[in-house]
């Protein structure tokens, strides 16, 4: 009975080994850091049907890992210091949105823009062939430097930018009652729409309310006659109790 069990296990192991994709090419000896963790480094593995696609996916994963580190660090610090902020409630949504749009969004973060293979500490790739599916796939592994001081700088930049956007929203809300021209109304609505795309928390609802208030201003604008003397007919634009241009 024991012999039969051993034979069965041996055959099963053979089937599993046979089913695994075979490495048919590689960049060199497989490093110890592959699929591991190291302080001050981001280690990722990207896959693709070509080596270029696998490399591109690996670089994208580095950006997403960095965004995750920043978001989690911001959240942890906010909870620890009990700051009056939106980070705790919005960080998960921010991460999902940022990760899904990282290609377009990362242009706002210089460090993410500069991520490239030339800055990697090490890299390693493998070409694998799966006999059962007759398909070839490349796995591209990258060990990328991401020291603690860079993380803290990105956290600081993130919080600074977040506060700037909140300040801009408050300013635009206050200007609803002081706008002096139709051009300013249009300009402020455009600024609010940009904030609408950036916010992922309750502030997005506030932006919608402020935009609605600006659009209502158009309906309140009146053409008022100010001079109707011989040979002269003069009008002005009025918004409430003040003139606008």
């Amino acid at each position: 009975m024991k012999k039969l069990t051993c034979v069965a296990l041996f055959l099963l192991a053979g089937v599993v080994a046979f089913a695994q994709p075979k490495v048919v090419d590689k960049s060199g000896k497989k490093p110890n850091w592959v699929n591991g963790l190291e302080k001050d480094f981001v280690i990722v593995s990207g896959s693709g049907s070509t080596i270029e696609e696998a490399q591109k996916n690996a670089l994208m994963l580095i950006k997403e890992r960095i965004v995750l580190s920043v978001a989690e660090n911001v959240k942890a610090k906010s909870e620890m210091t009990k700051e009056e902020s939106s980070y705790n409630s919005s960080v998960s949504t921010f991460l999902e949105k940022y990760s899904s749009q990282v290609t377009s969004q990362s242009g706002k973060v210089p460090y993410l823009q500069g991520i490239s293979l030339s800055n990697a500490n090490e890299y390693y790739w493998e070409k694998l062939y799966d006999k059962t599916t007759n398909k070839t796939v490349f796995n591209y592994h990258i060990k990328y430097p991401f020291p603690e001081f860079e993380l803290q700088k990105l956290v600081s930049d993130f919080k600074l930018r977040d506060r700037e956007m909140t300040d801009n929203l408050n300013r635009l809300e206050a200007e609803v009652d002081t706008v002096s021209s139709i051009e300013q109304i249009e300009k402020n609505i455009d600024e609010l729409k940009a904030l609408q795309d950036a916010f992922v928390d309750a502030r997005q609802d506030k932006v919608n309310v402020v935009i609605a208030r600006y659009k209502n201003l158009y309906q309140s604008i009146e053409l008022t006659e100010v001079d109707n003397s011989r040979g002269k007919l003069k009008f002005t634009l009025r918004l409430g109790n003040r003139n606008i241009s």
Side-chain angles (χ1 to χ4, degrees):
M1 186 66 181
K2 288 184 178 180
K3 288 183 178 180
L4 288 173
T5 303
C6 290
V7 171
L9 289 173
F10 179 78
L11 291 173
L12 181 61
V15 170
V16 171
F18 180 79
Q20 289 179 340
K22 182 182 178 183
V23 177
V24 294
D25 195 9
K26 57 184 179 179
S27 58
K29 184 181 178 181
K30 190 173 184 177
N32 293 329
W33 54 262
V34 170
N35 297 325
L37 293 171
E38 283 192 31
K39 189 178 184 301
D40 292 334
F41 288 96
V42 175
I43 296 174
V44 300
S45 175
S47 298
S49 57
T50 65
I51 193 169
E52 291 80 11
E53 183 183 0
Q55 183 190 107
K56 179 182 176 182
N57 290 335
L59 291 172
M60 187 66 68
L61 279 173
I62 292 171
K63 294 182 180 183
E64 292 184 2
R65 289 280 182 86
I66 290 174
V67 170
L68 173 61
S69 298
V70 172
E72 289 298 329
N73 200 278
V74 168
K75 180 180 178 182
K77 285 200 169 186
S78 298
E79 290 174 341
M80 188 167 58
T81 59
K82 296 182 179 178
E83 292 179 354
E84 188 70 26
S85 68
S86 62
Y87 303 136
N88 294 342
S89 60
S90 68
V91 70
S92 297
T93 313
F94 162 79
L95 178 61
E96 290 173 10
K97 180 176 179 179
Y98 201 117
S99 294
S100 64
Q101 301 175 356
V102 71
T103 304
S104 58
Q105 295 282 354
S106 63
K108 301 171 184 176
V109 184
Y111 185 82
L112 295 182
Q113 271 188 308
I115 287 177
S116 69
L117 191 61
S118 61
N119 294 326
N121 183 264
E122 293 182 63
Y123 69 89
Y124 168 78
W125 59 263
E126 290 179 334
K127 179 181 180 182
L128 296 94
Y129 174 70
D130 191 334
K131 192 173 182 180
T132 57
T133 61
N134 197 31
K135 287 185 178 179
T136 299
V137 66
F138 287 87
N139 288 337
Y140 209 101
H141 305 267
I142 299 178
K143 181 180 177 183
Y144 201 87
F146 186 50
E148 180 67 21
F149 76 85
E150 196 64 56
L151 170 62
Q152 296 308 322
K153 182 178 181 299
L154 286 175
V155 169
S156 177
D157 290 346
F158 172 85
K159 295 174 77 172
L160 177 64
R161 180 170 175 267
D162 191 85
R163 289 195 185 99
E164 286 177 347
M165 292 191 299
T166 300
D167 290 343
N168 282 339
L169 174 56
N170 293 335
R171 172 184 60 80
L172 292 166
E173 182 182 28
E175 288 180 3
V176 173
D177 299 320
T178 62
V179 288
S180 58
S181 68
I182 292 175
E183 287 78 12
Q184 187 182 358
I185 294 174
E186 294 172 348
K187 175 178 172 292
N188 286 7
I189 288 176
D190 287 340
E191 286 188 46
L192 284 163
K193 286 180 178 178
L195 289 176
Q196 190 177 42
D197 292 336
F199 289 140
V200 293
D201 51 23
R203 289 172 296 180
Q204 196 173 69
D205 295 331
K206 184 176 180 180
V207 169
N208 293 332
V209 171
V210 178
I211 287 176
R213 288 182 62 193
Y214 270 104
K215 289 183 176 179
N216 286 336
L217 293 179
Y218 289 123
Q219 300 174 12
S220 303
I221 296 173
E222 297 178 341
L223 193 63
T224 305
E225 182 182 299
V226 293
D227 190 356
N228 188 0
S229 56
R230 188 174 181 179
K232 181 185 288 187
L233 185 59
K234 187 177 180 181
F235 292 89
T236 187
L237 290 176
R238 299 277 294 178
L239 180 58
N241 59 359
R242 67 183 188 276
N243 292 341
I244 65 167
S245 62

